[in-house]
DNA sequence: CTGTTAGCGCCTTCAA
DNA sequence: TTGAAGGCGCTAACAG
């Protein structure tokens, strides 16, 4: 028995099998022709020593990181977990590791965008809910790292998101067809220095379109935007619901906000749905529990799609050294209206 | 201007600053004496070229990975996200990257345990909710990788978890002091080939203790265990609540299960809390929305603690090459009863 | 088909 | 204080 280091290296295996390290490397890396006997003894040695190739050495040698980065704001956001699961379900089956970055403010975002989007850090990057600005875009392009946007959209990058205008329209149209004529809208900020363009703006456009087609007015105080938390939505809803001529229905940007609206209604002794109909967006687990009518979007699937698109781009880049081939493509995720018990015809 | 590769290497910087690579490395790695002028020109060159050291090269050279792994079952579990956030809040401030592994079945778990717990893969490992078995423990010790358990406990490893017996006792005692005498208990499986020992067993012990102290019976059909999902809890609750002599209160292993219980009650036209009191565990966001009485445990804090303990172990290991110094220490996370509107004195 | 050699980018003795 | 040289473990080009 030769002296072997722990963990064993490729050289230990080579000695053990009486071959050269190169040969071991060859059997490791697939089908390059290695003859029967040599291959056998190498495989035997690998098994005996419990050899596993050192990932860092491979990374350095190959100039690949075998790592996919995920940058997302607000890990706590319910939609994030679902998307991460989707991403993981794809990446977990590959040789890539998944490394996550949570960003909570502008500085952190800029730092991560600059430091993570480098060829030596990740082979690909999935950015969730953050829309890169011009400066970021330049950095990204220069870095040549394949990038996919999920729940955000930019002409220069493959983007995965639902048709928010359609979603806004569906939700609003549902309320209109129930007979509502006074419909409020609550959202996160339409534009925000942190996340960039919000999906809320597009959902508003859908809302607006439906209202206009039905010949309905949108009083300016029926529309409020703020932070995306439940508490903020609750306070916005309180404002709208105490208006002299309050709406009979509210469409909220997200389920979390919609639940905030329901809480505000409860505080004001308004029964949902009899006194107030509420529609949310996302169809998180809580929506089902709360029997909230909502727009279902497959968050998990958006993660899956994002990961798949990214892997494709990485592959394309490896074959033809022309990065960012597919960029700008927009992949829409299906959405559909899920009617539950929070919406009903207006009683007033 | 010299020709520089992109991204620039330490050699490019050296040329640019008319010094040797070693000198650059020295200024990079801190306070090793580098004289004023040399240091200045190196720093200038670094800034001008936008040089960032190649992480993989550092990793290989230093034999460190600058990576912390997190292995958890069920990414979707609400508690996971909170804990991950806690972990991230600590690790994000360090030079370590966070790499996540989602395990969904026994094979995957064993594979990750074997492949991830290696010095060349991670500098430390946080394992959530999974109790390692004897074979895993051997592997872990042999690997010399610092490991911390969160929401699980093992004598050989630093463990972070709440006092589940106390929690079970608190919840049950609350119901008893309200006047309940017939109290059911619903839990995930006490022992499971996948996760190992469940916290549920300990919570049961607390429940049992409180019941016994109060001289109350625990009919065997008042206790059920199964999958930890809402749906499974709902079906278990349905069974218990349709018993000829049904309990007036149910204590559930988790908030998610408690909500399943509430749903079952709703289906059976039992009002919560008037006809049935329900207590949960964890205090996830949904618990507040559902006004569920629950045991609050600081999930975020358990992540923070786990990460801190791990970093300590890594540091200790670096100074004295004696790994796993602190092992076996058990760090308890605070818990407290949060009384909301799902519990009330029994009316029957 | 297989061994030898050089190199990925950095860090760290060892001399000077 | 600084430079030269060698090595981390693996892969790939080039001989044989």
């Amino acid at each position: 028995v030769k002296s072997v280091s722990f963990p064993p290296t490729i050289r230990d295996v080579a000695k053990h099998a009486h071959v050269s390290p190169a040969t071991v490397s060859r059997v490791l890396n697939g089908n390059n022709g290695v003859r029967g006997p040599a291959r056998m003894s190498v495989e035997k040695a690998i098994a005996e020593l419990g050899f596993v190739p050192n990932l860092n050495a491979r990374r350095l040698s190959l100039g690949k990181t075998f790592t996919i980065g995920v940058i997302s704001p607000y890990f706590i956001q319910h939609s994030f977990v679902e998307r991460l699961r989707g991403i993981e379900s794809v990446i977990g089956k590959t040789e890539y590791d998944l490394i996550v970055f949570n960003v909570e403010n502008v500085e952190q975002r800029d730092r991560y965008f600059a430091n993570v989007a480098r060829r030596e850090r990740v082979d690909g990057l999935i950015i969730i809910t953050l829309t890169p600005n011009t400066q970021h875009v330049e950095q990204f392009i220069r870095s040549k790292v394949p990038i996919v946007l999920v729940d955000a959209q930019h002409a220069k990058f493959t983007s995965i998101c639902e048709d928010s205008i359609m979603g806004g329209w569906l939700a609003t149209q549902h309320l209109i067809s129930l007979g509502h004529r006074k419909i409020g809208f609550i959202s996160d900020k339409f534009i925000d220095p942190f996340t960039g363009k919000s999906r809320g703006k597009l959902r508003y456009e859908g809302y607006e379109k439906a209202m206009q087609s039905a010949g309905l007015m949108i009083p300016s105080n029926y529309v409020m935007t703020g932070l995306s938390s439940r508490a903020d939505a609750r306070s916005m809803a309180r404002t709208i619901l105490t208006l002299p001529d309050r709406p009979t229905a509210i469409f909220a940007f997200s389920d979390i906000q919609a639940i905030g609206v329901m809480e505000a209604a409860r505080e004001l002794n308004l029964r949902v749905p009899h006194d107030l109909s509420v529609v949310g967006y996302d169809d998180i687990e809580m929506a089902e529990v709360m029997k909230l009518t909502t727009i279902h979007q497959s968050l998990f699937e958006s993660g899956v799609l994002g990961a798949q698109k990214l892997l494709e781009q990485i592959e394309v880049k490896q074959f033809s050294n022309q990065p960012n081939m597919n960029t700008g493509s927009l992949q829409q995720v299906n959405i559909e209206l899920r009617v539950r018990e929070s919406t009903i015809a207006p009683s007033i």
Side-chain angles (χ1 to χ4, degrees), chain A:
Chain A
V1 182
K2 285 93 181 173
S3 75
V4 291
S5 35
F6 182 79
T9 75
I10 201 172
R11 245 180 311 247
D12 297 320
V13 177
K15 276 189 206 135
H16 209 84
H18 305 290
V19 295
S20 77
T23 302
V24 179
S25 174
R26 278 187 265 262
V27 335
L28 245 39
N29 292 31
N31 320 334
N32 312 31
V34 175
R35 249 208 344 236
R39 159 163 248 120
M40 291 270 283
S41 68
V42 168
E43 279 167 352
K44 185 154 156 281
I46 290 178
E48 279 178 15
L49 299 179
F51 168 77
V52 178
N54 182 310
L55 189 54
N56 290 324
R58 295 197 75 206
R59 296 204 241 238
L60 183 58
S61 184
L62 291 172
K64 269 199 79 171
T65 65
F66 297 102
T67 297
I68 303 282
V70 176
I71 299 187
S72 171
Y74 317 121
F75 271 15
I76 193 172
Q77 228 172 230
H78 296 247
S79 49
F80 164 72
V81 205
E82 273 298 303
R83 293 202 175 98
L84 181 64
R85 271 189 66 232
I87 292 169
E88 199 279 339
S89 77
V90 173
I91 303 298
K93 294 196 189 103
T94 70
E95 60 190 345
Y96 293 95
D97 283 339
L98 210 52
I99 159 177
V100 294
F101 301 93
N102 175 35
V103 319
E104 305 253 344
N105 56 54
V106 177
E107 295 73 37
Q108 209 177 15
R109 178 200 63 188
D110 292 343
R111 196 147 29 85
Y112 282 151
F113 276 5
N115 292 330
V116 176
R118 320 181 88 250
R119 289 213 301 280
E120 330 86 70
R121 291 301 306 278
V122 294
D123 292 330
L125 194 57
I126 296 176
I127 297 175
I128 300 181
T129 311
L130 296 167
T131 305
N133 64 29
T134 317
Q135 195 195 331
H136 300 143
V137 171
E138 265 177 40
Q139 283 177 12
F140 291 163
I141 303 229
R142 204 167 35 215
S143 78
K144 299 212 173 97
V145 171
I147 290 179
V148 167
L149 267 36
V150 173
D151 189 40
Q153 193 176 341
H154 193 287
K156 295 281 191 184
F157 304 101
T158 302
S159 310
I160 317 285
C161 49
E162 27 76 82
D163 184 344
S164 295
I165 299 184
M166 170 68 91
W169 186 88
L170 273 175
T172 313
Q173 189 56 42
H174 166 64
L175 292 169
I176 291 172
S177 64
L178 284 173
H180 290 273
R181 304 186 53 80
K182 299 187 288 181
I183 303 172
F185 180 68
I186 282 182
S187 171
D188 69 345
K189 292 233 170 63
F190 287 166
I191 198 154
D192 179 275
F194 179 32
T195 53
K197 286 174 216 151
S198 150
R199 302 260 100 206
K201 176 66 179 1
L202 298 172
R203 289 173 196 164
Y204 174 78
E205 284 173 27
Y207 158 79
E208 196 176 28
K209 207 157 84 176
M211 293 295 273
Q212 284 175 349
S213 304
L216 298 174
M217 294 282 91
I218 304 180
S220 65
N221 52 13
Y222 272 26
V223 176
M224 289 190 78
T225 66
L227 295 184
S228 59
S229 74
R230 202 174 87 234
D232 285 81
R234 186 168 54 205
S235 95
M236 289 191 275
R238 217 155 22 203
T239 306
I240 291 184
L241 291 175
T242 49
L243 248 30
D245 187 31
R246 71 164 180 86
T248 59
I250 290 183
F251 166 37
F253 162 78
S254 71
D255 288 339
I256 285 293
Q257 287 206 326
I259 288 167
V261 172
M262 291 170 106
E263 290 179 321
R266 192 156 52 180
E267 284 169 21
L268 298 169
N269 286 315
L270 297 172
R271 291 162 306 162
V272 173
H274 305 87
D275 303 321
L276 180 76
S277 287
V278 180
V279 179
Y281 210 107
D282 284 345
D283 202 17
I284 63 178
E285 185 176 9
M286 231 191 284
E288 195 200 326
V289 173
M290 301 290 288
K291 304 202 181 294
L292 177 68
T293 295
T294 191
I295 302 293
H296 174 88
Q297 67 161 312
S298 187
L299 299 166
F300 183 88
E301 190 200 345
S302 74
V304 169
L305 264 174
Q308 285 171 342
K309 289 278 169 194
L310 185 63
L311 290 177
E312 278 171 29
Q313 276 189 47
I314 291 174
E315 210 166 323
V316 167
K317 188 184 159 194
Q318 276 175 338
F319 276 93
S320 67
N321 211 342
Q322 302 179 19
N324 296 347
M325 287 284 292
N326 299 25
T327 58
S329 90
L330 169 61
Q331 182 86 26
Q332 302 250 2
V333 164
N334 286 335
I335 55 176
E336 74 189 59
L337 178 71
R338 287 263 216 278
V339 179
R340 299 208 178 91
E341 300 174 19
S342 70
T343 49
I344 202 177
S347 55
I348 343 182

